[in-house]
Amino acid sequence: MNEREPDATEKGIRFGCGALLGALVALPTAGWLAEAAFGPTGVAVLLSALLFGWLALRFGDRFWGWVRHWWL
């Protein structure tokens, strides 16, 4: 498949949506680590948001297809 290169706006939307999903996924799983507002839980949420954001940016629709497959 010959995909076009996404523009800056689409890249921002991809990263933002992926980061939001990553943060939402990490909150319940990292909640038991909570010692302070930005202790281990904050780090876990931030890292998860960055990872999911990067995956959404890098793989685009394939990433969201994977999420749908495993989530639903």
Side-chain angles (χ1 to χ4, degrees):
M1 184 182 292
N2 192 4
E3 294 184 18
R4 63 171 177 74
E5 180 68 23
D7 63 359
T9 302
E10 185 176 349
K11 287 181 179 181
I13 291 171
R14 283 185 182 187
F15 184 83
C17 291
L20 182 60
L21 176 65
L24 291 174
V25 167
L27 276 174
T29 57
W32 59 273
L33 293 173
E35 291 179 4
F38 286 98
T41 301
V43 172
V45 170
L46 178 63
L47 291 177
S48 178
L50 290 174
L51 174 65
F52 276 60
W54 179 80
L55 289 171
L57 179 62
R58 172 73 173 89
F59 296 107
D61 291 334
R62 289 182 291 167
F63 169 75
W64 293 108
W66 177 81
V67 168
R68 270 193 307 267
H69 174 75
W70 289 103
W71 198 299
L72 300 176

